[in-house]
Coordinates of all heavy atoms in Angstrom, one line a residue:
M1 N 90.0 103.9 75.7 CA 89.6 103.1 76.9 C 90.2 103.7 78.2 O 89.6 103.7 79.1 CB 89.9 101.7 76.7 CG 89.4 100.9 77.7 SD 87.6 100.8 77.6 CE 87.4 99.3 78.4
T2 N 91.5 104.3 78.0 CA 92.1 104.8 79.2 C 91.5 106.0 79.7 O 91.4 106.2 80.9 CB 93.6 105.0 78.8 OG1 94.3 103.9 78.4 CG2 94.5 105.5 80.0
G3 N 91.0 106.8 78.8 CA 90.3 108.0 79.1 C 89.1 107.8 79.9 O 88.8 108.4 80.9
L4 N 88.2 106.6 79.4 CA 87.0 106.3 80.3 C 87.4 105.8 81.7 O 86.7 106.1 82.6 CB 86.4 105.2 79.5 CG 85.1 104.6 80.2 CD1 84.1 105.8 80.3 CD2 84.6 103.4 79.3
L5 N 88.6 105.1 81.8 CA 89.0 104.5 83.1 C 89.3 105.7 84.0 O 89.1 105.7 85.2 CB 90.1 103.6 82.9 CG 89.7 102.2 82.3 CD1 91.0 101.3 82.2 CD2 88.6 101.5 83.1
N6 N 89.9 106.8 83.5 CA 90.4 108.0 84.2 C 89.2 108.7 84.7 O 89.1 109.1 85.9 CB 91.3 108.8 83.4 CG 92.6 108.3 83.3 OD1 93.1 107.5 84.0 ND2 93.4 108.9 82.2
V7 N 88.1 108.8 83.8 CA 87.0 109.4 84.3 C 86.2 108.6 85.3 O 85.8 109.3 86.3 CB 86.0 109.6 83.0 CG1 84.6 110.0 83.3 CG2 86.7 110.7 82.0
L8 N 86.2 107.3 85.2 CA 85.5 106.5 86.3 C 86.3 106.7 87.5 O 85.6 106.7 88.6 CB 85.3 105.1 85.8 CG 84.3 104.8 84.7 CD1 84.6 103.3 84.1 CD2 83.0 105.2 85.1
E9 N 87.6 106.6 87.5 CA 88.4 106.8 88.7 C 88.0 108.0 89.4 O 87.9 108.1 90.6 CB 89.9 106.6 88.4 CG 90.7 106.7 89.6 CD 92.3 106.6 89.2 OE1 92.6 106.5 88.0 OE2 92.9 106.5 90.1
V10 N 87.9 109.2 88.6 CA 87.7 110.5 89.3 C 86.4 110.7 89.8 O 86.2 111.0 91.0 CB 88.0 111.6 88.2 CG1 87.5 112.9 88.6 CG2 89.4 111.8 87.8
L11 N 85.3 109.9 89.2 CA 83.9 110.1 89.7 C 83.9 109.2 90.9 O 83.3 109.5 92.0 CB 83.0 109.5 88.6 CG 82.8 110.5 87.4 CD1 81.8 109.7 86.3 CD2 82.2 111.8 87.8
F12 N 84.5 108.0 91.0 CA 84.5 107.2 92.2 C 85.2 108.0 93.4 O 84.6 108.0 94.5 CB 85.3 105.9 91.8 CG 85.4 104.9 93.1 CD1 84.3 104.4 93.6 CD2 86.6 104.9 93.8 CE1 84.5 103.5 94.7 CE2 86.8 104.1 94.9 CZ 85.7 103.5 95.3
L13 N 86.3 108.6 93.1 CA 87.1 109.3 94.2 C 86.2 110.5 94.8 O 86.1 110.7 95.9 CB 88.4 109.6 93.8 CG 89.5 108.5 93.6 CD1 90.6 109.0 93.1 CD2 89.5 107.8 94.9
L14 N 85.6 111.2 93.7 CA 84.6 112.3 94.2 C 83.5 111.8 95.0 O 83.1 112.4 95.9 CB 84.1 112.9 92.9 CG 85.1 113.9 92.3 CD1 84.5 114.5 90.9 CD2 85.6 115.1 93.1
A15 N 83.0 110.6 94.8 CA 81.9 110.0 95.5 C 82.4 109.8 96.9 O 81.7 110.0 97.8 CB 81.2 108.9 94.8
V16 N 83.5 109.1 97.0 CA 84.1 108.8 98.3 C 84.4 110.0 99.0 O 84.0 110.0 100.3 CB 85.4 107.8 98.1 CG1 86.1 107.6 99.4 CG2 85.0 106.5 97.5
V17 N 85.1 111.0 98.5 CA 85.5 112.1 99.2 C 84.2 112.9 99.8 O 84.1 113.4 100.8 CB 86.4 113.1 98.5 CG1 86.6 114.4 99.3 CG2 87.7 112.3 98.3
G18 N 83.2 113.1 98.7 CA 82.0 113.7 99.1 C 81.1 113.0 100.2 O 80.7 113.7 101.1
G19 N 81.1 111.6 100.1 CA 80.4 110.9 101.2 C 81.1 111.0 102.5 O 80.4 111.3 103.5
L20 N 82.5 111.0 102.5 CA 83.1 111.3 103.7 C 83.0 112.7 104.3 O 82.8 112.8 105.5 CB 84.7 110.9 103.5 CG 85.7 111.0 104.8 CD1 85.2 110.0 105.8 CD2 87.0 110.8 104.3
A21 N 83.0 113.6 103.5 CA 82.8 115.0 103.9 C 81.5 115.4 104.4 O 81.3 116.1 105.3 CB 83.1 116.0 102.7
M22 N 80.5 114.6 104.0 CA 79.2 114.7 104.6 C 79.0 114.2 106.0 O 78.4 114.6 106.9 CB 78.1 113.9 103.8 CG 77.5 114.5 102.6 SD 76.2 113.7 101.9 CE 76.8 113.4 100.2
W23 N 80.0 113.3 106.3 CA 80.1 112.7 107.7 C 81.0 113.5 108.5 O 80.7 113.8 109.6 CB 80.6 111.2 107.6 CG 80.8 110.5 108.9 CD1 79.7 110.2 109.9 CD2 82.0 110.0 109.4 NE1 80.3 109.7 110.8 CE2 81.7 109.4 110.7 CE3 83.3 110.0 108.9 CZ2 82.6 108.9 111.5 CZ3 84.3 109.5 109.8 CH2 83.8 109.0 111.0
S24 N 82.2 113.9 108.0 CA 83.2 114.6 108.7 C 84.0 115.5 107.7 O 84.8 115.0 106.9 CB 84.1 113.7 109.4 OG 85.2 114.4 110.0
V25 N 83.8 116.8 107.8 CA 84.3 117.8 106.9 C 85.8 117.8 107.0 O 86.5 117.7 106.1 CB 83.8 119.2 107.0 CG1 84.5 120.1 106.3 CG2 82.3 119.2 106.8
P26 N 86.5 117.9 108.2 CA 87.9 117.8 108.3 C 88.5 116.6 107.7 O 89.6 116.7 107.0 CB 88.3 117.9 109.8 CG 87.0 118.5 110.4 CD 85.8 118.1 109.5
A27 N 87.9 115.4 107.9 CA 88.4 114.2 107.3 C 88.3 114.2 105.8 O 89.2 113.7 105.2 CB 87.6 113.0 107.9
G28 N 87.1 114.7 105.3 CA 87.0 114.9 103.8 C 88.2 115.7 103.2 O 88.7 115.5 102.2
L29 N 88.4 116.9 104.0 CA 89.6 117.8 103.4 C 91.0 117.2 103.4 O 91.8 117.2 102.6 CB 89.6 119.1 104.3 CG 88.3 120.0 104.2 CD1 88.3 121.1 105.1 CD2 88.2 120.5 102.6
I30 N 91.2 116.5 104.6 CA 92.5 115.7 104.7 C 92.5 114.7 103.6 O 93.7 114.7 102.8 CB 92.6 115.1 106.1 CG1 92.8 116.1 107.1 CG2 93.8 114.2 106.1 CD1 92.7 115.7 108.4
L31 N 91.6 113.9 103.4 CA 91.6 112.8 102.2 C 91.8 113.6 100.9 O 92.4 113.1 100.1 CB 90.4 112.0 102.3 CG 90.2 110.8 101.3 CD1 91.4 109.8 101.5 CD2 89.0 110.2 101.5
A32 N 91.0 114.6 100.7 CA 91.1 115.2 99.4 C 92.6 115.8 99.2 O 93.1 115.7 98.1 CB 90.1 116.4 99.3
G33 N 93.2 116.3 100.2 CA 94.6 116.8 100.1 C 95.5 115.6 99.8 O 96.5 115.8 99.0
V34 N 95.3 114.5 100.4 CA 96.2 113.4 100.2 C 96.1 112.9 98.8 O 97.0 112.5 98.0 CB 96.0 112.3 101.4 CG1 96.6 110.9 100.9 CG2 96.5 112.8 102.7
L35 N 94.8 112.7 98.3 CA 94.6 112.2 97.0 C 95.0 113.2 96.0 O 95.5 112.8 94.8 CB 93.0 112.0 96.7 CG 92.5 110.8 97.7 CD1 90.9 110.7 97.4 CD2 93.1 109.6 97.2
G36 N 95.0 114.5 96.3 CA 95.6 115.5 95.3 C 97.1 115.3 95.2 O 97.6 115.4 94.1
V37 N 97.8 115.1 96.3 CA 99.2 114.8 96.1 C 99.6 113.5 95.5 O 100.4 113.6 94.7 CB 99.8 114.7 97.6 CG1 101.3 114.4 97.5 CG2 99.8 116.1 98.3
V38 N 98.8 112.5 95.7 CA 99.0 111.2 95.0 C 98.7 111.4 93.5 O 99.5 110.9 92.7 CB 98.0 110.1 95.5 CG1 98.0 109.0 94.6 CG2 98.6 109.8 96.9
A39 N 97.8 112.2 93.0 CA 97.4 112.4 91.7 C 98.5 113.2 91.0 O 99.0 112.9 89.9 CB 96.1 113.3 91.5
V40 N 99.1 114.1 91.6 CA 100.2 114.9 91.2 C 101.6 114.0 91.0 O 102.2 114.1 90.0 CB 100.6 116.1 92.0 CG1 101.9 116.9 91.5 CG2 99.3 117.2 91.9
E41 N 101.7 113.2 92.0 CA 103.0 112.4 92.0 C 102.8 111.3 90.7 O 103.7 110.9 90.1 CB 103.1 111.6 93.2 CG 103.5 112.4 94.4 CD 105.0 113.0 94.3 OE1 105.7 112.2 93.7 OE2 105.2 114.1 94.8
R42 N 101.6 110.8 90.5 CA 101.3 109.9 89.5 C 101.5 110.6 88.1 O 102.2 110.0 87.3 CB 99.9 109.3 89.6 CG 99.7 108.2 90.6 CD 98.3 107.8 90.7 NE 97.9 107.2 89.5 CZ 96.7 106.8 89.2 NH1 95.7 106.9 90.1 NH2 96.3 106.3 88.1
E43 N 101.0 111.7 88.0 CA 101.2 112.3 86.8 C 102.7 112.8 86.4 O 103.2 112.7 85.4 CB 100.4 113.7 86.7 CG 100.4 114.5 85.4 CD 100.0 113.7 84.2 OE1 99.1 112.9 84.4 OE2 100.3 114.1 83.1
Q44 N 103.5 113.3 87.5 CA 104.8 113.5 87.4 C 105.7 112.3 87.0 O 106.5 112.2 86.1 CB 105.4 114.2 88.6 CG 105.0 115.5 88.8 CD 105.7 116.1 90.1 OE1 106.1 115.4 91.1 NE2 105.5 117.5 90.1
A45 N 105.2 111.1 87.6 CA 106.0 109.9 87.3 C 105.7 109.4 85.8 O 106.5 108.9 85.2 CB 105.4 108.7 88.2
R46 N 104.4 109.5 85.4 CA 104.1 109.3 84.0 C 104.8 110.0 83.0 O 105.4 109.5 82.1 CB 102.4 109.4 83.7 CG 102.0 108.9 82.4 CD 100.6 109.2 82.3 NE 100.3 110.7 82.2 CZ 100.4 111.5 81.0 NH1 100.9 110.8 79.9 NH2 100.2 112.6 81.0
R47 N 104.8 111.4 83.3 CA 105.7 112.3 82.4 C 107.2 111.9 82.4 O 107.7 112.1 81.4 CB 105.4 113.7 82.8 CG 104.0 114.2 82.4 CD 104.0 115.7 82.7 NE 102.5 116.1 82.4 CZ 102.1 117.3 82.5 NH1 102.9 118.1 83.0 NH2 100.9 117.7 82.3
K48 N 107.7 111.7 83.5 CA 109.1 111.4 83.6 C 109.4 110.1 82.9 O 110.4 110.0 82.2 CB 109.6 111.2 85.1 CG 111.0 111.1 85.2 CD 111.4 110.9 86.6 CE 111.8 112.3 87.2 NZ 112.3 112.1 88.6
G49 N 108.5 109.1 83.0 CA 108.7 107.8 82.2 C 108.5 108.1 80.8 O 109.2 107.3 80.0
A50 N 107.7 109.0 80.3 CA 107.7 109.2 78.9 C 108.8 109.9 78.3 O 109.1 109.7 77.0 CB 106.4 110.0 78.7
K51 N 109.6 110.6 79.1 CA 110.8 111.4 78.5 C 111.9 110.4 78.3 O 112.7 110.6 77.5 CB 111.1 112.5 79.4 CG 110.2 113.6 79.5 CD 110.8 114.7 80.5 CE 109.8 115.9 80.6 NZ 110.1 116.9 81.4
T52 N 112.1 109.4 79.1 CA 113.2 108.5 78.9 C 113.0 107.5 77.9 O 112.1 107.2 77.2 CB 113.5 107.7 80.2 OG1 112.5 107.0 80.7 CG2 113.9 108.7 81.3

């Protein structure tokens, strides 16, 4: 079930970033960069939590 939720989250974010990029390319790129950083931080926190 967690895998399905991750896929849905990614598809939703792609739709939001794609829609924003159709309106304003620089804003889409900025949002994509911020979301990329958030995704990396979440994954690092998940891995750090699993080690302890």
Side-chain angles (χ1 to χ4, degrees):
M1 189 65 157
T2 305
L4 177 62
L5 290 176
N6 287 340
V7 170
L8 288 174
E9 181 180 3
V10 168
L11 289 176
F12 175 76
L13 291 176
L14 284 175
V16 169
V17 171
L20 182 62
M22 283 190 234
W23 178 63
S24 172
V25 174
L29 291 173
I30 290 170
L31 181 61
V34 169
L35 291 175
V37 169
V38 170
V40 169
E41 292 290 331
R42 284 178 59 184
E43 182 62 23
Q44 287 179 345
R46 186 184 68 81
R47 287 185 183 180
K48 185 180 271 187
K51 286 182 182 178
T52 59

